[in-house]
Amino acid sequence: MAALETAATSVPEDSFVSDASLRPAFFEWLCRMGDNALILGHRTSEWCGHGPVLEEDIALANTALDLIGHTQMWLGLAGEVEGEGRDADKLAYLRDAMKFRNLLLVELPKGDMAVTMMREFLFDAFHYHLLTWLADNSKSPRVAEIAAKALKEVSYHLDRASDLVVRLGDGTEESHRRMQDALDLLWAYSGEMFVGDEVDAAMTQAGIAPDLESLRGEWETTVRDVLKEATLAMPAEAGFVHKGGKQGRHTEHLGFILAEMQFLQRAYPGASW
Amino acid sequence: MSTTLHPAPDEVWDWLSEVPDPEIPVVSVTELGIVRDVSYDGDTLVVAVTPTYSGCPATAVIDMMIEDKLREKGLDNLRLERRLSPPWSTDWVTEEAREKLKQFGIAPPVDGTASTGMSAKAARLSGESGLTVACPRCGSKNTERVSQFGSTPCKAAWRCKDCLEPFDYFKCI
């Protein structure tokens, strides 16, 4: 290793980071934030070299890069809170599927461009409202500063995804059909974003994170506006919700992602360059 | 020996102004506004650097180049810190740097046009992008965006409809 010491010490005081009673919930919550970014980032990166046109290929790769950057910040803080010597790399590469805390929505296969862009859009709209709350209101200065940084990039993602949902939804007969199919497929997975559990309750209680249910209204408004412009039919509310990812109960797809993503560190432990 | 070397922070800032951005070498890291602070923690020189984009791969290279420059000046006792807050803004890119970007073929950021998450909708409703970018080659404002992203996360791909030159636009963030 180089002697270079790039420690995250230029950071604001934050008593939550060393609060032992909050530690298990805070660690879990930070893993959820990091794992959503990591798994969606990985799925998005699968388009690199396979995009339908060069510009989209580059745009998706750059979006993935932003998400991997967010992962490093969230999982980095998670490791710090846990205090057991795990950094962002160890958390990303050396946990098994059941230890991952991402939403099921982000681990689904990338599908066609319709599925990819519709998923980005549904998640970006949630991500945008969540990060806005965290940047403005979180009582944890460390969480607020990560959120403020990520929000700048996620605002751009939401703009881009909204634009494409409208162009493809209100595009050709074929693109419209594919976008509607994608929406119908993904809708039942979007509800998990707003289903809180005891971890979320502890974060809300501490003033670190919002009550997830309180974000639903803004999210629905954002989504409804864009879908309407895209001439897409919003599925009926309150249908069946696929959930469990946040607690480590995943679809069969996550294992395949990890098999590829973690291969190098599993086969050659500690490898670096 | 060199651990006792204590150059004034102003002198260190001058040295850092010689460190180029690895991807846009015509501008320095200080002109980009990513060096946030130079100070001493006891005998240790501490340089606080903020990332442009959170996943930008140049960040690690920039840290290495800053360290190399300071070691070359005889400083051994130093530490680089990552500072996230306040998040980097293109408002911090200096006037000189904007001119250099233009000479290099990159349209500089248009201040006040950062994405809000709702900008796309406003643009669609008005039927205009809400953003006018001058071609760095011929100066024409008859230009169009080709893609939201360019060769790096900090840029977007644009094209001049007069001189037909494709060019990078340094996005406002």
Side-chain angles (χ1 to χ4, degrees):
Chain A
M1 285 296 285
L4 178 66
E5 190 188 338
T6 311
T9 49
S10 197
V11 295
E13 286 289 319
D14 189 336
S15 58
F16 288 120
V17 174
S18 51
D19 181 341
S21 63
L22 200 61
R23 186 170 297 148
F26 199 12
F27 174 72
E28 280 285 307
W29 183 84
L30 288 164
C31 285
R32 291 174 181 183
M33 295 300 293
D35 290 346
N36 281 335
L38 174 60
I39 300 302
L40 183 59
H42 191 83
R43 276 296 187 220
T44 308
S45 78
E46 289 174 355
W47 281 104
C48 189
H50 302 276
V53 289
L54 185 60
E55 288 77 7
E56 283 310 308
D57 195 297
I58 292 170
L60 286 165
N62 273 299
T63 304
L65 197 58
D66 287 341
L67 289 164
I68 300 306
H70 305 165
T71 307
Q72 285 169 336
M73 297 191 287
W74 291 121
L75 292 187
L77 183 55
E80 226 181 293
V81 166
E82 187 191 38
E84 289 179 14
R86 290 202 285 182
D87 59 10
D89 282 342
K90 285 206 174 82
L91 287 169
Y93 294 126
L94 300 175
R95 277 179 302 155
D96 285 329
M98 283 189 302
K99 296 289 185 191
F100 270 75
R101 297 293 182 254
N102 57 280
L103 299 162
L104 298 181
L105 175 70
V106 300
E107 72 195 41
L108 298 176
K110 75 182 194 303
D112 57 8
M113 274 298 282
V115 171
T116 288
M117 288 321 303
M118 184 59 78
R119 175 191 19 218
E120 299 268 1
F121 169 66
L122 295 172
F123 182 77
D124 287 347
F126 164 73
H127 208 188
Y128 170 82
H129 290 299
L130 174 60
L131 292 173
T132 300
W133 192 98
L134 295 173
D136 292 346
N137 305 306
S138 180
K139 290 210 174 85
S140 161
R142 296 288 300 278
V143 166
E145 71 168 5
I146 294 175
K149 179 74 191 165
L151 180 59
K152 286 193 167 215
E153 293 152 20
V154 169
S155 298
Y156 199 72
H157 297 176
L158 177 58
D159 267 344
R160 179 183 128 74
S162 315
D163 227 5
L164 277 170
V165 166
V166 171
R167 285 164 65 187
L168 293 171
D170 189 17
T172 65
E173 205 175 302
E174 174 72 2
S175 72
H176 176 86
R177 181 186 63 76
R178 286 180 182 242
M179 289 302 276
Q180 187 67 54
D181 286 352
L183 178 60
D184 294 343
L185 168 77
L186 298 170
W187 193 252
Y189 290 91
S190 60
E192 190 185 6
M193 298 188 284
F194 306 102
V195 181
D197 61 6
E198 69 284 357
V199 169
D200 296 302
M203 291 299 98
T204 305
Q205 174 80 25
I208 294 175
D211 173 6
L212 289 170
E213 187 58 41
S214 74
L215 300 178
R216 192 194 289 264
E218 290 172 303
W219 177 82
E220 273 180 9
T221 304
T222 304
V223 168
R224 186 180 299 117
D225 275 5
V226 171
L227 292 182
K228 187 174 169 215
E229 226 187 308
T231 70
L232 296 168
M234 192 150 151
E237 214 183 313
F240 177 75
V241 175
H242 291 285
K243 53 182 187 289
K246 286 166 62 168
Q247 293 84 20
R249 297 188 303 278
H250 292 279
T251 66
E252 69 272 29
H253 306 296
L254 183 66
F256 291 94
I257 299 176
L258 299 187
E260 184 179 278
M261 191 178 82
Q262 298 183 332
F263 165 77
L264 196 99
Q265 281 303 320
R266 299 290 196 180
Y268 305 94
S272 68
W273 62 84
Chain B
M1 38 154 233
S2 49
T3 49
T4 55
L5 192 65
H6 251 219
D10 278 353
E11 194 172 4
V12 176
W13 277 101
D14 283 346
W15 294 339
L16 294 178
S17 72
E18 297 165 12
V19 177
D21 176 87
E23 280 173 340
I24 312 170
V26 288
V27 296
S28 72
V29 292
T30 54
E31 287 175 317
L32 272 180
I34 58 177
V35 178
R36 303 310 300 158
D37 193 37
V38 173
S39 59
Y40 282 94
D41 174 9
D43 276 341
T44 306
L45 178 75
V46 182
V47 179
V49 184
T50 197
T52 52
Y53 281 73
S54 26
C56 184
T59 307
V61 180
I62 288 169
D63 282 352
M64 213 162 63
M65 291 170 77
I66 288 175
E67 197 202 3
D68 283 352
K69 170 62 75 178
L70 296 176
R71 290 203 187 283
E72 177 195 307
K73 296 290 183 184
L75 275 162
D76 272 341
N77 203 353
L78 59 102
R79 184 170 80 229
L80 292 189
E81 290 184 352
R82 185 187 65 177
R83 180 172 294 181
L84 284 184
S85 183
W88 180 72
S89 161
T90 42
D91 294 351
W92 300 343
V93 178
T94 65
E95 277 311 315
E96 299 77 32
R98 287 163 195 257
E99 197 46 48
K100 288 180 191 170
L101 284 172
K102 219 185 289 177
Q103 298 298 326
F104 193 57
I106 298 172
V110 177
D111 288 343
T113 60
S115 175
T116 62
M118 304 294 158
S119 336
K121 185 182 176 190
R124 281 193 308 273
L125 291 179
S126 69
E128 291 172 23
S129 77
L131 174 62
T132 307
V133 176
C135 169
R137 183 174 176 271
C138 74
S140 165
K141 288 185 172 169
N142 184 22
T143 58
E144 65 180 351
R145 189 178 69 186
V146 179
S147 173
Q148 285 101 329
F149 287 94
S151 52
T152 63
C154 58
K155 290 176 266 166
W158 281 64
R159 175 167 50 209
C160 177
K161 293 199 270 189
D162 283 336
C163 76
L164 306 181
E165 181 83 353
F167 63 90
D168 265 338
Y169 164 60
F170 203 107
K171 295 180 301 204
C172 173
I173 186 173

